Amino acid sequence: MNTKSIEYIDKLSREHTLSLEEYTYLIQHQDAAIQEYCAHKASRVARSIYGKDIFVRGLIEFSNICKNDCLYCGIRKSSPCSRYRLDKEDILACCQEGYELGFRTFVLQSGEDGYFTDERLCDIVSNIHQSYPDCAITLSVGQRSKESYQKLFEAGANRYLLRHETANPQHYQKLHPKAMHFEDRMQCIQDLRDIGYDVGIGMMVGSPFQTEKDLAMDCKFIETFRPEMCGIGPFIPSHQTPFKDYPAGSVETTLFLLSIIRLIQPNILLPATTALGTLDPKGREKGVLAGANVVMPNLSPVSVRRKYQLYDNKICIGDESGQCRHCLERRMESIQYHVVTDIGQIRPWKEGDEYESK
Ligand code: SAH
């Protein structure tokens, strides 16, 4: 085995930090043995904090209307895809169904749809909050003003997912139209943190033009920002976008990064994403075995699922919510993990806590 890689992985598990060069080296020199070594360490660390519990979030994709034109995204403004928007009643019905299925966290995700003004979105959030006071409400609705984030927080949203997409500003510009700026995205992420949200960031692995050094910069950003959650999945081309002919990201590299991120921040909430499950039929199981501890089955009405296609061949578009939930339960049981009915809060952790594998 590559002894330098082993040395770096050992150092990362002890110190939770590496230099940009060391991360770059690790990502450039991965092989199956190194990936397995790192996954073994990472899954042990995850188990020492979360046991074999897997947190579950109910994902409600409530609108695919978007004013942005991100070059990778299947629901970008210029995409000819057919559009939909759920109303408040539809969204509340999803939550009701989700609650009965045991979900205690709802993730409301959408394109940047101008219809959802602060007033309308706050009304939806506070309705969910009043109906399900024992649930966490996560928003993933893109960039908004700090005032808007503040109002939504006061209405009852307590978590926010806003992937940074890439920590390299030059790379960011290659993935987005000129009108979108890296600094604005980062400012939003900081605003969310300052307001008091639990913040989820994240990136695609293998997006066009990405280098190993870009991924190393993502690792450095995670180290310094210390998000509560980090969503990473492979880039998957969408035929509706200018990136339609670019190859998909690698499942192995995504898994390796999940392991590295777990070692950077032992208690981080790390989802095994749908994109991972799309590229590999056992992707989400492999994600958990590499250190992930969250899954996000779809709660959106089946009638609109097909329309929220960020990328091609997305899985689970024909299944009822209950089927998705139970399918994931079975998948987790098959690797001796258990989906739990729990709000799924990040657990405190400090250096020196026992790594007792459960
Ligand atoms: N509009 C919201 C939600 C975006 S969709 C926002 O701006 O945050 C959620 C995530 O899907 C994106 O952040 C992106 O990382 C991912 N995504 C989009 N297109 C993708 C593709 N082609 N392959 C893989 N992931 C993609």
Side-chain angles (χ1 to χ4, degrees):
M1 273 210 269
N2 182 328
T3 50
K4 204 159 153 187
S5 291
I6 298 284
E7 186 197 311
Y8 289 165
I9 292 167
D10 290 347
K11 182 173 165 195
L12 184 61
S13 4
R14 271 193 324 271
E15 300 174 12
H16 315 293
T17 172
L18 291 177
S19 69
L20 192 65
E21 292 69 34
E22 289 166 334
Y23 283 123
T24 309
Y25 181 93
L26 268 184
I27 298 161
Q28 275 170 344
H29 295 84
Q30 9 160 4
D31 60 32
I34 292 295
Q35 287 156 354
E36 201 183 310
Y37 183 78
C38 198
H40 179 74
K41 288 209 164 230
S43 61
R44 265 194 57 190
V45 169
R47 284 199 301 279
S48 76
I49 298 170
Y50 294 102
K52 288 202 161 187
D53 288 355
I54 297 295
F55 293 152
V56 73
R57 316 322 195 174
L59 181 63
I60 304 172
E61 300 152 332
F62 67 94
S63 166
N64 72 347
I65 297 170
C66 193
K67 70 172 165 65
N68 291 328
D69 232 352
C70 307
L71 278 79
Y72 45 84
C73 184
I75 62 166
R76 67 199 296 267
K77 182 179 166 200
S78 311
S79 166
C81 69
S82 113
R83 304 286 171 172
Y84 75 93
R85 174 188 290 144
L86 300 184
D87 62 20
K88 183 166 106 185
E89 282 63 42
D90 298 327
I91 297 173
L92 283 164
C94 285
C95 294
Q96 172 74 37
E97 188 179 6
Y99 193 87
E100 285 162 14
L101 287 167
F103 290 96
R104 295 296 175 267
T105 296
F106 302 117
V107 181
L108 268 56
Q109 191 175 84
S110 70
E112 292 195 15
D113 179 353
Y115 173 83
F116 291 101
T117 56
D118 292 347
E119 200 183 333
R120 288 199 174 109
L121 203 50
C122 283
D123 179 46
I124 293 170
V125 168
S126 61
N127 260 283
I128 301 176
H129 185 54
Q130 278 155 22
S131 309
Y132 308 99
D134 54 335
C135 292
I137 304 173
T138 305
L139 293 176
S140 177
V141 299
Q143 296 176 211
R144 301 174 80 97
S145 69
K146 187 167 183 188
E147 293 67 39
S148 171
Y149 288 151
Q150 181 72 46
K151 286 183 194 157
L152 292 162
F153 188 74
E154 282 158 18
N158 39 19
R159 301 177 183 158
Y160 204 105
L161 304 184
L162 189 70
R163 289 186 176 186
H164 63 290
E165 312 297 358
T166 169
N168 178 348
Q170 279 94 45
H171 183 222
Y172 185 92
Q173 221 50 74
K174 294 182 185 163
L175 302 179
H176 299 94
K178 278 207 184 66
M180 292 178 74
H181 303 292
F182 177 77
E183 292 71 24
D184 295 341
R185 191 111 183 141
M186 286 300 184
Q187 186 61 53
C188 285
I189 290 172
Q190 190 56 49
D191 289 345
L192 291 162
R193 160 71 49 88
D194 293 343
I195 291 168
Y197 282 95
D198 280 356
V199 180
I201 58 162
M203 68 280 185
M204 290 174 285
V205 175
S207 58
F209 317 113
Q210 186 180 60
T211 64
E212 283 94 351
K213 189 171 167 210
D214 294 334
L215 285 170
M217 288 172 80
D218 291 321
C219 292
K220 261 329 221 190
F221 177 54
I222 293 162
E223 237 186 47
T224 48
F225 184 75
R226 307 199 71 75
E228 279 72 25
M229 178 161 172
C230 181
I232 77 165
F235 161 76
I236 305 176
S238 158
H239 69 282
Q240 317 260 45
T241 68
F243 287 165
K244 62 182 184 322
D245 296 322
Y246 283 86
S250 139
V251 170
E252 286 70 31
T253 304
T254 307
L255 295 171
F256 191 48
L257 276 148
L258 284 172
S259 303
I260 290 175
I261 294 166
R262 172 64 64 200
L263 295 178
I264 294 176
Q265 196 180 316
N267 64 341
I268 196 167
L269 296 165
L270 211 50
T273 54
T274 306
L276 198 51
T278 296
L279 282 193
D280 182 323
K282 287 266 175 335
R284 286 167 298 178
E285 292 89 321
K286 289 180 186 174
V288 168
L289 295 172
N293 69 323
V294 176
V295 289
M296 296 171 65
N298 205 312
L299 264 184
S300 314
V302 178
S303 55
V304 301
R305 292 249 182 121
R306 203 171 293 283
K307 296 184 180 169
Y308 200 85
Q309 289 259 24
L310 305 174
Y311 45 79
D312 294 346
N313 307 315
K314 189 174 161 202
I315 51 171
C316 312
I317 53 171
D319 294 346
E320 296 288 345
S321 302
Q323 286 175 300
C324 272
R325 159 94 197 203
H326 296 126
C327 161
L328 271 171
E329 254 162 42
R330 278 195 307 276
R331 286 174 180 273
M332 295 302 118
E333 295 292 337
S334 78
I335 51 168
Q336 281 84 51
Y337 280 76
H338 325 286
V339 169
V340 291
T341 294
D342 191 299
I343 195 163
Q345 203 61 30
I346 188 167
R347 297 213 176 126
W349 172 86
K350 61 180 183 337
E351 192 59 64
D353 278 2
E354 196 89 6
Y355 277 172
E356 233 353 89
S357 192
K358 289 179 198 148

